[in-house]
Amino acid sequence: MQIKNLIACCVYLICHLIISGQLGILLYKNQTRDFFELPLELFIATTLRVALSVLFLRIYKISESYIFVSVLLALMTRIIFHGPYPMAILACWFFILKRENRL
Amino acid sequence: MPNDTLWQRITSYKLFAAIKDSDFRQFIFRFVSCLIVLTILYEWYLWSTEQQRELDWITYKVSELSHALAVALGVANCEFSCFMEGCYIGVEGKMIHVLEGCNGLMLALVYSSYIIGVSGWKWQSIVQVVVGIIVIQFFNVLRIGILVALRDIGGDLYFFFIKYVFNVLIYISILFLWLLKPYLDRAMYRNAD
């Protein structure tokens, strides 16, 4: 794995965690653990996280169609299975780059 | 296109063109199917422990080992108590609440889904899944143990570590496990031959 890819991964994860962290702070301030009590904030944070993942994949010149399916998979992982969103994005990113020998 | 099937119509849209790529399609299908199977098993396991009015064994063990690590790191008077909703570890007044969501298993399930997504349901994949889950749990115990110690020290360092450093570390460790996959595959196939 090239160092630049590792750094790109870290930057993506940190940006994602900053957005999630801000949402976490808002939940803490409102003394709740339920995201749906802050629907507007949840919508903004989700939009930002999706946009960030699209940007991350786009930087690697991955085509729109693959990005669309990757984001769908990541949203499904998060919403249906309560899994980590960035991990699913990284799984697709890793799979695509690995088979193109770009990792 | 009167003779086109629904599938052909879907894949003819530009956004769904990736589905025409059979490798990628297989990967996504296996990834999702593995996630479904493992999530059902995990939810069933959680449901059965809830019926017995107990905390699940994995969260308990992760908390117990984290407590042992915190003690080894020199946290004096480190207490440990578990209830149905989770465990409390740390010094009185600065305790960390370890919930079911902190046991690292959801992360392990996504890691496993990638392994199965790439190679399918083979014994080599299962071995890698088991080894990977142990490695992820090792990092998770390390994370919670150090957090207990940081909480004891006090200051903003705790929040910085809990929010960024440990999350990035655990994700990167999974990337390295994925990187090791072809080498492990080669070694295991050679042994099998």
Side-chain angles (χ1 to χ4, degrees):
Chain A
M1 191 179 195
Q2 294 169 35
I3 294 291
K4 67 168 186 175
N5 292 338
L6 189 64
I7 293 170
C9 254
C10 291
V11 171
Y12 165 62
L13 286 171
I14 289 168
C15 291
H16 178 95
L17 293 170
I18 287 171
I19 300 167
S20 300
Q22 292 306 310
L23 185 64
I25 289 169
L26 282 173
L27 288 174
Y28 180 75
K29 278 182 182 165
N30 286 278
Q31 295 176 333
T32 177
R33 284 191 171 180
D34 186 6
F35 290 116
F36 293 102
E37 281 186 27
L38 303 170
L40 180 68
E41 288 82 350
L42 175 65
F43 175 75
I44 294 168
T46 306
T47 310
L48 284 174
R49 283 180 288 196
V50 168
L52 184 69
S53 60
V54 170
L55 181 71
F56 172 67
L57 295 173
R58 202 80 195 106
I59 287 169
Y60 281 89
K61 296 187 173 74
I62 293 170
S63 74
E64 286 160 21
S65 160
Y66 287 88
I67 294 175
F68 179 69
V69 176
S70 304
V71 169
L72 270 187
L73 180 76
L75 283 172
M76 225 167 83
T77 303
R78 181 76 198 113
I79 296 165
I80 303 173
F81 303 106
H82 308 292
Y85 177 89
M87 212 62 245
I89 290 289
L90 288 179
C92 293
W93 170 81
F94 198 89
F95 177 82
I96 294 165
L97 261 65
K98 185 99 184 73
R99 70 174 180 168
E100 292 173 3
N101 290 321
R102 290 202 285 147
L103 204 61
Chain B
M1 292 185 289
N3 294 327
D4 275 4
T5 61
L6 179 67
W7 182 252
Q8 280 170 325
R9 278 186 210 169
I10 290 170
T11 54
S12 67
Y13 287 109
K14 200 183 162 197
L15 276 179
F16 287 104
I19 299 173
K20 283 180 186 165
D21 175 348
S22 65
D23 272 356
F24 190 65
R25 191 177 60 221
Q26 270 185 359
F27 167 71
I28 297 289
F29 178 74
R30 285 187 196 140
F31 187 100
V32 174
S33 60
C34 177
L35 210 51
I36 291 172
V37 170
L38 294 179
T39 306
I40 289 172
L41 284 174
Y42 182 49
E43 289 296 328
W44 173 79
Y45 169 68
L46 286 180
W47 177 82
S48 63
T49 52
E50 208 180 300
Q51 294 305 303
Q52 292 163 15
R53 306 197 64 75
E54 283 176 4
L55 177 67
D56 67 285
W57 184 81
I58 298 154
T59 309
Y60 178 79
K61 274 290 157 195
V62 165
S63 306
E64 193 186 28
L65 291 170
S66 305
H67 171 256
L69 178 67
V71 171
L73 287 171
V75 178
N77 303 320
C78 188
E79 290 174 18
F80 173 60
S81 52
C82 281
F83 305 93
M84 228 187 102
E85 75 277 4
C87 295
Y88 289 88
I89 317 168
V91 181
E92 191 66 47
K94 291 176 180 177
M95 290 195 122
I96 280 183
H97 191 189
V98 182
L99 297 162
E100 175 266 313
C102 307
N103 67 16
L105 261 192
M106 278 323 295
L107 205 61
L109 296 195
V110 178
Y111 156 79
S112 311
S113 301
Y114 174 85
I115 298 289
I116 302 293
V118 172
S119 303
W121 294 90
K122 295 174 186 163
W123 72 266
Q124 288 93 343
S125 311
I126 308 292
V127 170
Q128 287 177 47
V129 163
V130 173
V131 171
I133 289 174
I134 293 168
V135 172
I136 292 167
Q137 289 307 342
F138 168 79
F139 274 99
N140 200 30
V141 167
L142 200 68
R143 174 179 81 113
I144 300 171
I146 295 174
L147 280 179
V148 173
L150 286 171
R151 181 89 167 156
D152 186 38
I153 294 164
D156 292 338
L157 208 61
Y158 165 78
F159 294 101
F160 178 72
F161 270 77
I162 196 171
K163 254 188 353 193
Y164 306 110
V165 179
F166 289 128
N167 276 319
V168 173
L169 262 181
I170 210 160
Y171 285 143
I172 297 296
S173 71
I174 291 176
L175 280 185
F176 275 99
L177 283 170
W178 288 345
L179 267 180
L180 286 176
K181 190 187 174 320
Y183 301 101
L184 293 173
D185 276 344
R186 230 170 287 156
M188 280 193 280
Y189 277 113
R190 204 178 300 145
N191 285 340
D193 290 340

